[in-house]
Amino acid sequence: MLGILLLTFLLCDAGSTCPTELNPLSLEPPEIIEEYGASVIVNCTSTEEFHDGMKWKGDSDMEEDEFFISKELFMKDWNMEAQCQIILNKSLTCSKDLKITIYKNPEDVQVFPASSSAVEGTQYVLQCDIINVAPVQNLTVRWYKDDNIIKTDSFTNTTKTPVSESSVLTVNISRGDSGAQFRCEAQLDVGPNGPQTPVSSNYSPTVSYAPEFKDKTDIVDIYVEEGDNVTLNCEADGNPSPRFRWTNDGVDISENTNNLYINQVNTNTTYTCTASNHVGNMTKQIHVHVVKTTMATTTPKPSDPKMVDCPLTMMPAEIVVKFGDPVSINCSTSATDFELLGWEATIGGKTSEMSSLTWEVDKLEAWHTEPKCFITIDPSQCYVIPNITVYKTPDKVSVSALGYRPMVEGTEHQLTCEIINVAPVRYLTVKWYQDNEVVQTQTFNDTSLTPVNEYSTLNVTPKSNYNGAHYKCVTELHLGPNGSETFSTESAPYIADVHYKPHIQSWTRNYANVEHNISMDMVPCHVDGNPQPTVQWYNKGNLINGFEPLTRTQSGEYTAVFENSVGNISTIVDITVEYSPSFTCDDRYDVEENGKPQTTCEPEGIPAPIVTWFKDGQEEPLPQHWTRKYSGEYLLRATNKHGQANHTLDLNVLYAPEFTLGNDSMVVTLGENVTFNCSAKGNPEITIVWKYKSAENVKETTRGSTKVVNITGATSTNAGVYLCSAKNKIGTVTRSVTVTVTLTVNELPLYLPLWVPIVLGIIIISLIILYFMARKKKHGQYAFVPDKENERSEIPMNPVSNGKTNGIKV
């Protein structure tokens, strides 16, 4: 209490400011760092026990007798605030704010090249996209090459809601970086209670560089004895693998092989080898010097290679050989008069006098070879050449996306299939699959015999149902007669990550649940979207906490807005907060008789409660109209599916007054005492009033609900009508009592002296009046009418005409 007095004294000139050192509130925990969607309980404690109330800001309930309050917070509002308040007195309120950090680890981290290609000696750009992370000001992005940090990025955006950010790494790329692991790590640094494991993504570039000869020389001199065979070497390294082109005196003599076989060298000459790829090229000159010898050649020279019906048979005549594998072809003749049978070849050449001879190579490493089987039949020579196809399946077949960004619904996206070192490419077919369906097929016209790198692209305009689809490319080398032999290589699947805006799969237009057990996050509403949509709820345009339980006053229309990085969609839900019955009625009700059985005592509750009336322990059906017998004490029981409530009610049925007797007449003898009463019943209490001519001998008395009129010694003045009125707030009724006063015979002598003068006076006055009336009649004009009863009257009667009267004038 002393603390409050001191605090009040210190603040008397400082408005309502509450100094930190005197604030009695403390929070546990004082700070919250939680992932979006979590819940946590916060306790607020006051060191001051005497106060006018504690509460959390925004709550209506005030705790007046507590010094400790708790609140469960649901981390669903990115701008959530919580403040504990205490009212120390009428003029002083202190508060304590809870520091809240809501975080969301990145949904995904994606590294992809922002440069079109990685070429040695150029700047190569990698981009790291961090998807849906919050708060971004606490995000640190670290770039690694293998296990060494090479760059760190941070962000200044102060928004609290999830955002997507990018970090860019620029490197001077070289062939040594080919295959290196570049890693992007995204780490949220929000303290020891936050996420500790970073989210990362790797990328290994393939660096392209121009060819370089392995012997590091570009001019070579070779000395060969005249008539000998020689193989020229032009080995080079490059990425992509280089193509080779041989020329002699400006004339192309061979392609797509790094070795050139020359049979029976006889003259000095210069051969030029060019190694090239899309990055660059290098040229080597090889000077062949012939050294003369005296040895004679024994190799037969064909005299007529186009001899018709050359009697040679190849087995097989057409063969498919994998580069580096052994190969053998048998050549035989049906002729018996031949001189020599032989094979002329850069590798494996031989002759024989036998009718069958096999060409054999243990390891075929020439991309283009044409061994000739020849036969000499004096004086001519003929030959046949087998059809040899040397092939190599791809070293690697892979699918990647341009820019390595996620697909977006409705936006064209390009996938690339990279085929590394395949030969011969003219027999190559690339098939694109979406799941198990072929969606594109591509062939190639390149006539190169040596391995090359090829690329195939697939343009996709994704739909939402493409999300998770597997895309792959399959290479097929169709070799042999009519493509009878097929060699397939399949890429690893590229799993489509299609981003699309939210769409509602199913939802409930009307939702109801019981009070304190209903919140907006409970509404059945299934929404699909990628990235996973977030939902915000609005009521009357105001953002609300969807995890906060609703009360009975919060029924109404709510709007849900589902949103992700692609777009948003909204829907409306009608919420009904149900609750058990309760009465807020008076204990007593007045109703009028014959009125309908309705009172203002109606219970609250949703669904609408069913009300049952009980009287004296028995259920009492309500009548169509109230009657007075229904007055009394009732028990009202209201019931719905959530419970019941009772209320005791005193019902008072009001009705207008009613007389116990009707109108009456009384004959009273002069001088007699008489009593008559007026009695009525009614609800509420009635008022009875007599109306009559007042007299001294008339008195009123009241006996309970009866009002009595007493006449003592009735006189003629007491004669008349006596009216009785009974009245309450419902109505008024009237009854009458007529009183007549009479004299008896025995009583006349007693009153004779009084009546004689009166009678005589009346007679005298009457005679005077008759006299004057008689005189008036004699001086007028008369009309005589015959007396029908006495037709024999002797008085003559004359008619009256023209307004004149014929008769007697008096």
Side-chain angles (χ1 to χ4, degrees):
M1 192 65 183
L2 181 60
I4 297 179
L5 293 174
L6 178 61
L7 183 61
T8 304
F9 175 74
L10 291 173
L11 297 177
C12 63
D13 294 326
S16 59
T17 304
C18 182
T20 303
E21 63 273 12
L22 296 179
N23 193 330
L25 297 177
S26 62
L27 300 175
E28 179 58 38
E31 179 180 1
I32 291 177
I33 300 174
E34 287 291 344
E35 189 172 9
Y36 182 82
S39 64
V40 64
I41 294 177
V42 183
N43 300 321
C44 179
T45 306
S46 170
T47 57
E48 283 292 343
E49 297 184 13
F50 302 100
H51 56 79
D52 292 341
M54 290 178 66
K55 71 166 188 171
W56 291 94
K57 184 178 179 180
D59 290 354
S60 58
D61 296 334
M62 181 77 71
E63 299 291 342
E64 297 181 355
D65 300 322
E66 301 290 340
F67 60 92
F68 173 89
I69 57 175
S70 298
K71 185 177 181 67
E72 184 174 10
L73 302 177
F74 296 92
M75 305 294 109
K76 278 292 189 178
D77 183 356
W78 292 104
N79 297 304
M80 175 176 286
E81 295 178 349
Q83 184 186 80
C84 181
Q85 299 175 338
I86 185 170
I87 302 175
L88 297 175
N89 54 49
K90 292 183 179 179
S91 61
L92 180 58
T93 298
C94 286
S95 62
K96 179 72 73 174
D97 290 312
L98 178 67
K99 185 177 180 181
I100 300 175
T101 300
I102 302 176
Y103 70 86
K104 183 180 185 300
N105 228 20
E107 285 184 6
D108 195 12
V109 173
Q110 301 168 347
V111 177
F112 56 90
S115 301
S116 58
S117 60
V119 178
E120 185 177 39
T122 64
Q123 286 195 331
Y124 187 62
V125 180
L126 290 174
Q127 182 169 322
C128 178
D129 282 355
I130 303 95
I131 308 300
N132 281 353
V133 61
V136 72
Q137 62 265 35
N138 294 90
L139 177 66
T140 300
V141 175
R142 298 178 180 89
W143 284 93
Y144 292 80
K145 179 182 177 183
D146 294 328
D147 292 323
N148 301 313
I149 295 179
I150 56 177
K151 184 180 180 182
T152 300
D153 266 347
S154 59
F155 303 88
T156 58
N157 191 340
T158 58
T159 183
K160 294 181 179 181
T161 56
V163 297
S164 296
E165 284 288 356
S166 298
S167 175
V168 174
L169 174 69
T170 303
V171 294
N172 291 318
I173 202 78
S174 65
R175 68 186 67 185
D177 296 324
S178 191
Q181 289 285 330
F182 288 88
R183 184 169 76 256
C184 171
E185 283 189 356
Q187 174 72 63
L188 267 181
D189 300 319
V190 292
N193 295 327
Q196 303 302 311
T197 303
V199 182
S200 63
S201 177
N202 299 334
Y203 182 76
S204 297
T206 299
V207 181
S208 300
Y209 51 92
E212 287 187 359
F213 293 119
K214 291 184 178 180
D215 59 9
K216 307 297 182 183
T217 59
D218 54 6
I219 298 178
V220 178
D221 290 298
I222 294 179
Y223 295 88
V224 183
E225 290 186 358
E226 185 179 18
D228 282 355
N229 302 328
V230 66
T231 299
L232 306 182
N233 182 272
C234 185
E235 292 187 348
D237 180 35
N239 192 25
S241 298
R243 297 183 181 185
F244 298 92
R245 177 169 169 262
W246 291 91
T247 61
N248 178 236
D249 294 331
V251 178
D252 291 339
I253 58 173
S254 181
E255 287 186 2
N256 302 321
T257 180
N258 58 351
N259 295 311
L260 178 65
Y261 179 79
I262 305 173
N263 188 31
Q264 297 178 348
V265 179
N266 295 309
T267 58
N268 295 334
T269 188
T270 297
Y271 293 90
T272 301
C273 172
T274 301
S276 63
N277 60 19
H278 73 271
V279 181
N281 62 75
M282 293 193 72
T283 300
K284 174 185 284 192
Q285 288 186 342
I286 302 176
H287 301 291
V288 179
H289 302 277
V290 177
V291 179
K292 299 290 185 178
T293 66
T294 58
M295 295 180 61
T297 179
T298 59
T299 303
K301 296 183 179 179
S303 59
D304 188 4
K306 298 181 180 179
M307 181 186 295
V308 179
D309 297 327
C310 188
L312 294 176
T313 301
M314 291 284 187
M315 185 60 68
E318 185 174 346
I319 190 170
V320 175
V321 183
K322 185 176 181 180
F323 184 82
D325 281 1
V327 61
S328 65
I329 301 174
N330 181 264
C331 181
S332 61
T333 181
S334 59
T336 59
D337 56 346
F338 68 93
E339 295 179 3
L340 188 66
L341 181 67
W343 281 96
E344 182 180 325
T346 55
I347 302 173
K350 60 177 72 172
T351 60
S352 174
E353 294 180 355
M354 303 293 291
S355 61
S356 176
L357 185 63
T358 300
W359 176 69
E360 296 178 302
V361 177
D362 293 334
K363 193 175 182 181
L364 184 59
E365 293 183 332
W367 291 105
H368 179 65
T369 182
E370 291 185 339
K372 298 177 182 178
C373 179
F374 64 88
I375 187 171
T376 302
I377 301 176
D378 188 59
S380 301
Q381 186 183 72
C382 68
Y383 64 86
V384 292
I385 301 175
N387 186 1
I388 301 176
T389 301
V390 182
Y391 76 91
K392 180 183 180 300
T393 58
D395 292 339
K396 179 182 178 183
V397 177
S398 61
V399 176
S400 60
L402 181 64
Y404 291 82
R405 292 181 178 273
M407 296 181 178
V408 177
E409 183 179 26
T411 301
E412 188 175 78
H413 199 76
Q414 188 177 86
L415 299 178
T416 300
C417 179
E418 185 178 24
I419 305 110
I420 304 299
N421 285 345
V422 61
V425 74
R426 69 175 180 270
Y427 297 120
L428 178 67
T429 299
V430 175
K431 293 182 179 179
W432 281 93
Y433 286 80
Q434 179 179 323
D435 294 326
N436 296 318
E437 180 183 356
V438 177
V439 293
Q440 180 175 299
T441 301
Q442 182 178 355
T443 57
F444 301 86
N445 298 320
D446 193 336
T447 59
S448 300
L449 298 178
T450 56
V452 296
N453 297 338
E454 283 292 351
Y455 301 88
S456 176
T457 59
L458 175 68
N459 293 324
V460 180
T461 301
K463 302 177 182 178
S464 60
N465 59 354
Y466 290 5
N467 188 42
H470 287 58
Y471 289 87
K472 64 181 179 182
C473 71
V474 177
T475 63
E476 297 177 350
L477 280 172
H478 296 278
L479 306 172
N482 300 317
S484 58
E485 296 182 61
T486 302
F487 301 90
S488 299
T489 305
E490 183 176 306
S491 71
Y494 175 89
I495 301 176
D497 179 19
V498 180
H499 284 195
Y500 52 94
K501 77 174 190 176
H503 65 269
I504 299 173
Q505 295 177 314
S506 63
W507 63 288
T508 299
R509 181 64 174 84
N510 300 284
Y511 183 71
N513 209 333
V514 67
E515 183 179 31
H516 303 305
N517 193 32
I518 179 174
S519 55
M520 300 313 301
D521 68 299
M522 298 171 63
V523 176
C525 191
H526 299 288
V527 178
D528 183 32
N530 190 25
Q532 181 66 36
T534 59
V535 59
Q536 290 186 315
W537 289 95
Y538 294 85
N539 179 238
K540 298 178 181 177
N542 298 316
L543 179 66
I544 66 167
N545 183 352
F547 282 80
E548 188 103 3
L550 300 178
T551 63
R552 64 188 63 186
T553 61
Q554 293 176 296
S555 293
E557 187 177 89
Y558 288 77
T559 300
V561 178
F562 300 92
E563 185 174 17
N564 63 12
S565 58
V566 183
N568 64 72
I569 192 171
S570 64
T571 186
I572 293 175
V573 179
D574 286 324
I575 296 296
T576 301
V577 181
E578 299 182 348
Y579 53 95
S580 60
S582 62
F583 285 97
T584 56
C585 307
D586 294 336
D587 296 333
R588 177 184 173 89
Y589 280 91
D590 292 337
V591 297
E592 292 189 20
E593 190 172 36
N594 297 320
K596 291 185 178 180
Q598 296 178 349
T599 70
T600 57
C601 184
E602 295 294 336
E604 295 180 354
I606 298 177
I610 297 173
V611 181
T612 306
W613 290 59
F614 294 88
K615 187 175 184 182
D616 299 329
Q618 300 296 320
E619 183 176 344
E620 182 75 29
L622 293 182
Q624 291 185 353
H625 299 281
W626 290 120
T627 62
R628 63 197 66 180
K629 74 174 185 177
Y630 287 100
S631 289
E633 185 176 89
Y634 288 85
L635 174 68
L636 276 63
R637 178 168 296 159
T639 306
N640 67 12
K641 65 181 181 179
H642 301 298
Q644 67 178 30
N646 295 331
H647 180 70
T648 301
L649 177 69
D650 186 11
L651 186 70
N652 184 28
V653 180
L654 306 180
Y655 55 92
E658 293 179 355
F659 289 115
T660 56
L661 297 174
N663 294 332
D664 196 7
S665 296
M666 300 183 67
V667 177
V668 180
T669 304
L670 192 67
E672 182 183 359
N673 294 335
V674 64
T675 298
F676 47 91
N677 59 55
C678 185
S679 179
K681 58 182 180 179
N683 188 23
E685 184 177 345
I686 62 176
T687 300
I688 297 177
V689 177
W690 280 101
K691 291 185 178 180
Y692 53 87
K693 183 179 180 182
S694 61
E696 292 183 359
N697 62 335
V698 180
K699 303 294 182 183
E700 290 183 24
T701 59
T702 302
R703 301 174 187 170
S705 60
T706 302
K707 206 157 193 179
V708 180
V709 174
N710 297 294
I711 300 176
T712 304
T715 67
S716 60
T717 59
N718 296 131
V721 178
Y722 290 73
L723 295 178
C724 175
S725 296
K727 178 181 181 183
N728 64 12
K729 68 177 184 180
I730 304 303
T732 301
V733 293
T734 302
R735 67 178 289 263
S736 64
V737 177
T738 302
V739 177
T740 303
V741 180
T742 62
L743 298 175
T744 64
V745 176
N746 295 329
E747 292 174 331
L748 285 176
L750 297 175
Y751 296 94
L752 190 59
L754 178 64
W755 285 98
V756 169
I758 295 174
V759 172
L760 290 176
I762 293 173
I763 293 173
I764 294 172
I765 293 172
S766 299
L767 291 174
I768 295 173
I769 292 173
L770 290 173
Y771 171 77
F772 280 103
M773 290 179 62
R775 284 186 57 83
K776 182 178 179 181
K777 289 181 179 180
K778 289 181 179 181
H779 288 83
Q781 293 180 348
Y782 295 87
F784 293 94
V785 178
D787 185 359
K788 291 183 179 181
E789 293 181 359
N790 191 1
E791 294 182 353
R792 289 183 286 179
S793 175
E794 294 180 355
I795 300 176
M797 298 293 178
N798 294 319
V800 178
S801 59
N802 298 325
K804 295 182 179 180
T805 301
N806 295 323
I808 300 172
K809 185 176 181 182
V810 182

